[in-house]
Amino acid sequence: MSQPNRRTFLHQTARTGLALAAGATVLGQSRSAQAAEAKTGNPLAVFSKSFQDRPIPEVCRIFKEIGADGLDLTVRPGGHIAPENVAEELPAAVQAAQDAGLKVYFLTTAITEPNATSEKLLATASDLGIDRIKLGYYKYKKFGAMAQEMDAVKKQLAAVIKLAKPYGVLPCVHIHSGKSIPSHGTHLYELIKDFAPEDIGAYVDPQHMTKEGGIDGWRQGLDLLGPWIALSSMKNFAWEKTDRDKYGQQHWQTINVPVADGVCPVPKFIEALHALGYNGVISMHSEYKGRHSFQNLDTDGCIAQTAKDIQFVRQFV
């Protein structure tokens, strides 16, 4: 080989080596990026309740800007979409989310029993690839009748399961403190323990579970519900004094506060979820409007506070 040809050969070989090295670096970076993406943890949706005065495409744009991954969309009376309009309006909502780089993770509904409207909602959700919904609420009506009322709710849940199963949509029962069935984690466990996790899901809630579960009841409830946990909200609360009654007893009430400021220890709540293997969606509830909030925020105020809540929660998911 002549000297010039040898130099050309070595130069080309070096360039090839650099190209291969660069390719390996890019490939390594790509794999690292994929691995990082795979470890991003629980996706964060935003519950659309506090944003219903804005059209869905605008809501999607806003949620994307503040760092959310998707929507928990209200499809119920008074919601973003009325149940009777679901077949016409939900496809456009899903498309708006996709256009914004988001996903409709699940629907918040008022379904408590089988009927034609409920079936239409389930069928539409199924067609659009939405595989779970939040059910409506069952109320505790009469003191002294809790056992009978729970039996009645179990029968209603069994009927909803039967309706939803052919569509591959998981009905999820939300824990809501106060006069709801269920109002705490152990309560929900008693309702669903005889159903398979493939047929019904538990929708856990740090705020409501801590209101009724105190220091550790929320964690014990999560422990029982582990196999069924299919959704989680994210919100928090504080206690504040109100008046004394005629006997002099001090009364208290709860108010919604920013996620970082409340009674529920959010990092420990999420740690418990992860210990149970839950890596699903967490819905930011952002319920900062009205008299039950630390401040009665308008929609812009809710957007700003939700952005702060998302930034806080991202540390743990």
Side-chain angles (χ1 to χ4, degrees), residues 85-251:
N85 298 333
V86 67
E88 296 77 25
E89 296 182 17
L90 186 57
V94 169
Q95 186 62 55
Q98 291 174 351
D99 290 345
L102 301 177
K103 177 180 178 180
V104 177
Y105 281 97
F106 67 100
L107 308 179
T108 288
T109 78
I111 293 174
T112 56
E113 61 185 5
N115 56 48
T117 302
S118 298
E119 186 165 15
K120 182 179 179 182
L121 190 156
L122 291 164
T124 305
S126 179
D127 288 344
L128 294 168
I130 299 170
D131 65 355
R132 60 202 60 201
I133 62 165
K134 170 188 168 184
L135 295 179
Y137 293 106
Y138 305 95
K139 292 299 183 180
Y140 173 41
K141 299 171 184 175
K142 183 181 178 182
F143 183 76
M146 175 59 82
Q148 294 90 336
E149 291 186 16
M150 285 186 66
D151 287 343
V153 171
K154 286 181 187 178
K155 290 178 181 178
Q156 288 177 285
L157 291 176
V160 171
I161 289 170
K162 184 177 180 180
L163 179 71
K165 196 174 180 71
Y167 296 102
V169 176
L170 186 71
C172 300
V173 184
H174 182 222
I175 298 169
H176 195 292
S177 59
K179 295 181 179 179
S180 292
I181 300 177
S183 63
H184 52 86
T186 51
H187 205 184
L188 178 54
Y189 175 74
E190 288 298 322
L191 286 172
I192 66 174
K193 66 181 182 180
D194 296 326
F195 300 114
E198 294 77 22
D199 293 336
I200 194 163
Y203 187 167
V204 297
D205 186 300
Q207 182 192 74
H208 292 298
M209 293 176 77
T210 307
K211 282 182 183 180
E212 300 288 5
I215 296 171
D216 199 55
W218 60 266
R219 191 172 68 101
Q220 295 169 29
L222 290 178
D223 194 349
L224 287 169
L225 291 169
W228 290 270
I229 296 174
L231 293 173
S232 178
S233 73
M234 181 50 59
K235 54 186 171 181
N236 218 328
F237 77 101
W239 292 100
E240 68 173 10
K241 289 182 177 181
T242 59
D243 298 329
R244 293 182 180 272
D245 66 19
K246 63 182 180 180
Y247 304 106
Q249 172 68 56
Q250 177 68 59
H251 285 206

Side-chain angles (χ1 to χ4, degrees), residues 57-89:
E58 182 181 351
V59 167
C60 292
R61 176 185 59 78
I62 291 167
F63 288 179
K64 181 68 174 179
E65 288 176 356
I66 63 175
D69 300 306
L71 291 79
D72 159 8
L73 185 63
T74 52
V75 183
R76 61 185 181 183
H80 251 128
I81 296 176
E84 59 271 20
N85 298 333
V86 67
E88 296 77 25
E89 296 182 17

Side-chain angles (χ1 to χ4, degrees), residues 243-267:
D243 298 329
R244 293 182 180 272
D245 66 19
K246 63 182 180 180
Y247 304 106
Q249 172 68 56
Q250 177 68 59
H251 285 206
W252 297 76
Q253 67 180 10
T254 61
I255 55 169
N256 299 335
V257 299
V259 173
D261 297 344
V263 173
C264 179
V266 167

